[in-house]
Amino acid sequence: GGPASLSRFRGALVAGVLGDCVGGEFEGAEEVPMERVLQHLNSLDDETKGNGILDYSDDTAMARCVVQSLLTRTGYDEQDMARRFGKEFSTSPGRGYGSGVVQVLKKLSAPQLSDVYQPARAQFNGRGSFGNGGAMRAAPFALAFPDLADVKRFAGLGAMLTHSCSLGYNGAILQALAVHLALQGALDPPQQFINRLIAEMEEVEDNEVTRNDARILKEAEKPFCERLHRVRDLIDRSKVSIEEVISELGNGVAALHSVPTAIFCVLHCLQPRECLPESYGGLERTIAYSLALGGDTDTIACMAGAIAGAHYGIEAIPQSWIKCCEGAEDADVNAGRLHALYYQSAKGG
Ligand code: R7I
Ligand code: MG
Ligand code: MG
């Protein structure tokens, strides 16, 4: 479809859910041979397996809260979104949440809470979390707001409800930016796409808070920009091993070690790759490749899936995969609603 077509909205929201659901199998695994990844993905096509459903995890549970809040409030409402996170956690605490964020979510479900950003600020001795929990649920912000400045502002604020460290919420901004640009059809050529992301993140990371967090955590002055330069170097090379990707970009639970990685997965898989079946299209390649990195596979595949889905559109997603994943059909319906909200906002209404 063309820029910001319904197909791209549906692709983004549905492929994010798929990445989470199929990635759950390997979360935390140190080494995942591609053979095992392909076996896992092939089993989704196997009707005789009795239509086993793969459950979604916290990534999708929280993204659903973001979607519902943006739709119900027709925009960003911090009180409403915080309340939904708290309620979702108290209803289904077993979705695999990060060990720290659980404390925040318990506090967010308390009805007398007035400053909804306060619980997040109390995390990790007052420094706030740099986990990827803000980034994993950032895609819907790109689907609700047509204006780039709004996407950045609200993706950041929405992440701060649980992640008050700049290395956490800036990762959410980067993920939302990537989905926003992919939705416009700006993912290809990849060099240009990365340059756009770097230019935007130069601005996002140009402040005292970010510099201070980076200093304390012994990272580069603009940590996400530095990682994006590494992504650019890696996509320039004809051959890159999985080990190199992991050592250069990471595959861990920190936003800094997973959002640039997810972006790399999408760009690397724009072309056919030797290690992946010829029958796979770009979206299938992206999901498979993300899982083969190991580590935080559900979250990296979820974020890469959302970006790739925005680029390729819903038609690129195998029906059999959609049928196997909890929440995928819901995501498809909600993508249509976000599409309507996006165009309502675009008209200034
Ligand atoms: O970021 P968060 O919501 O976790 C998301 C991850 C995804 O992979 C999901 O799929 C799920 O599995 O969890 O949860 P947090 O607890 O805020 O952060 C995740 C982890 O990052 C923490 O449990 C810590 O191990 C680590 N972490 C930190 N460690 C030290 N100092 C995050 N921030 C810090 C920190 O400041
Ligand atoms: Mg998860
Ligand atoms: Mg995860």
Side-chain angles (χ1 to χ4, degrees), residues 3 7 15 40 44 57 63 75 79 86-87 136 146 165 179 196 201 206 214 240 260 268 276 287 318 327 336 338:
S7 169
H40 180 50
L44 307 181
S57 79
Q79 297 284 337
K87 184 154 185 254
M136 73 188 182
C165 178
V179 175
R196 273 293 302 276
M201 292 308 289
D206 185 18
V240 188
H268 183 71
L276 291 160
I287 299 274
L338 285 169

Side-chain angles (χ1 to χ4, degrees), residues 273-302:
R273 294 286 166 186
E274 238 172 62
C275 61
L276 291 160
E278 274 178 46
S279 62
Y280 272 14
L283 188 127
E284 293 152 289
R285 287 196 295 269
T286 303
I287 299 274
Y289 189 82
S290 307
L291 303 193
L293 295 182
D296 195 357
T297 48
D298 66 335
T299 305
I300 294 173
C302 168

Side-chain angles (χ1 to χ4, degrees), residues 241-324:
S241 73
I242 289 208
E243 292 73 22
E244 283 172 292
V245 176
I246 296 171
S247 78
E248 284 293 303
L249 302 177
N251 63 358
V253 78
L256 189 62
H257 303 154
S258 50
V259 182
T261 311
I263 291 168
F264 172 78
C265 289
V266 182
L267 299 177
H268 183 71
C269 293
L270 282 169
Q271 313 166 28
R273 294 286 166 186
E274 238 172 62
C275 61
L276 291 160
E278 274 178 46
S279 62
Y280 272 14
L283 188 127
E284 293 152 289
R285 287 196 295 269
T286 303
I287 299 274
Y289 189 82
S290 307
L291 303 193
L293 295 182
D296 195 357
T297 48
D298 66 335
T299 305
I300 294 173
C302 168
M303 297 190 296
I307 302 165
H311 175 66
Y312 297 107
I314 190 75
E315 294 79 13
I317 306 176
Q319 268 304 320
S320 57
W321 292 18
I322 295 182
K323 274 196 224 134
C324 289

Side-chain angles (χ1 to χ4, degrees), residues 343-349:
Y343 281 99
Q344 189 184 319
S345 315
K347 284 192 220 105

Side-chain angles (χ1 to χ4, degrees), residues 10-11 13-15 17-19 21-22 44-45 52-54 283 313-333:
R10 295 171 65 199
L13 215 56
V14 173
V17 175
L18 293 191
C21 290
V22 302
L44 307 181
D45 295 323
I53 280 268
L54 299 169
L283 188 127
I314 190 75
E315 294 79 13
I317 306 176
Q319 268 304 320
S320 57
W321 292 18
I322 295 182
K323 274 196 224 134
C324 289
C325 296
E326 182 193 14
E329 308 266 0
D330 277 4
D332 200 0
V333 173

Side-chain angles (χ1 to χ4, degrees), residues 15-312:
V17 175
L18 293 191
D20 178 20
C21 290
V22 302
E25 172 84 4
F26 307 110
E27 193 183 20
E30 224 165 89
E31 259 172 61
V32 185
M34 186 59 89
E35 207 187 322
R36 274 193 64 204
V37 170
L38 299 180
Q39 246 172 37
H40 180 50
L41 293 174
N42 283 339
S43 76
L44 307 181
D45 295 323
D46 190 353
E47 299 274 334
T48 59
K49 277 196 77 182
N51 287 343
I53 280 268
L54 299 169
D55 289 343
Y56 62 71
S57 79
D58 57 329
D59 305 49
T60 300
M62 295 195 86
R64 286 163 64 99
C65 294
V66 171
V67 168
Q68 287 305 339
S69 183
L70 293 172
L71 288 173
T72 312
R73 306 301 301 153
T74 62
Y76 180 61
D77 176 337
E78 59 203 24
Q79 297 284 337
D80 182 75
M81 199 170 285
R83 212 171 31 78
R84 285 176 195 273
F85 289 155
K87 184 154 185 254
E88 168 61 34
F89 174 72
S90 55
T91 313
S92 308
R95 293 277 188 187
Y97 288 89
S99 53
V101 77
V102 163
Q103 300 308 317
V104 180
L105 297 171
K106 283 180 184 156
K107 292 178 192 167
L108 289 183
S109 59
Q112 67 276 22
L113 183 73
S114 59
D115 180 0
V116 290
Y117 296 103
Q118 196 283 324
R121 286 197 293 263
Q123 293 296 97
F124 298 99
N125 301 312
R127 212 174 47 235
S129 171
F130 54 62
N132 56 20
M136 73 188 182
R137 60 174 195 260
F141 289 97
L143 306 184
F145 303 102
D147 185 56
L148 184 79
D150 288 339
V151 173
K152 285 154 78 172
R153 173 155 172 250
F154 296 126
L157 287 169
M160 281 178 209
L161 291 170
T162 51
H163 291 68
S164 76
C165 178
S166 63
L167 278 96
Y169 62 76
N170 283 342
I173 294 175
L174 174 56
Q175 168 65 8
L177 277 170
V179 175
H180 169 86
L181 291 178
L183 207 61
Q184 311 301 318
L187 192 102
D188 216 359
Q191 290 295 339
Q192 211 169 303
F193 176 72
I194 279 288
N195 289 342
R196 273 293 302 276
L197 287 178
I198 291 172
E200 293 295 337
M201 292 308 289
E202 281 283 348
E203 245 178 70
V204 170
E205 294 193 297
D206 185 18
N207 56 72
E208 213 31 66
V209 173
T210 298
R211 278 187 286 272
N212 196 42
D213 287 341
R215 202 177 308 126
I216 292 166
L217 292 162
K218 296 189 167 57
E219 295 292 344
E221 182 171 304
K222 292 183 173 178
F224 284 98
C225 289
E226 192 243 1
R227 294 274 158 163
L228 288 170
H229 280 106
R230 292 191 198 186
V231 172
R232 191 168 64 185
D233 293 344
L234 286 174
I235 56 175
D236 265 347
R237 289 172 36 190
S238 54
K239 261 206 153 73
V240 188
S241 73
I242 289 208
E243 292 73 22
E244 283 172 292
V245 176
I246 296 171
S247 78
E248 284 293 303
L249 302 177
N251 63 358
V253 78
L256 189 62
H257 303 154
S258 50
V259 182
T261 311
I263 291 168
F264 172 78
C265 289
V266 182
L267 299 177
H268 183 71
C269 293
L270 282 169
Q271 313 166 28
R273 294 286 166 186
E274 238 172 62
C275 61
L276 291 160
E278 274 178 46
S279 62
Y280 272 14
L283 188 127
E284 293 152 289
R285 287 196 295 269
T286 303
I287 299 274
Y289 189 82
S290 307
L291 303 193
L293 295 182
D296 195 357
T297 48
D298 66 335
T299 305
I300 294 173
C302 168
M303 297 190 296
I307 302 165
H311 175 66
Y312 297 107

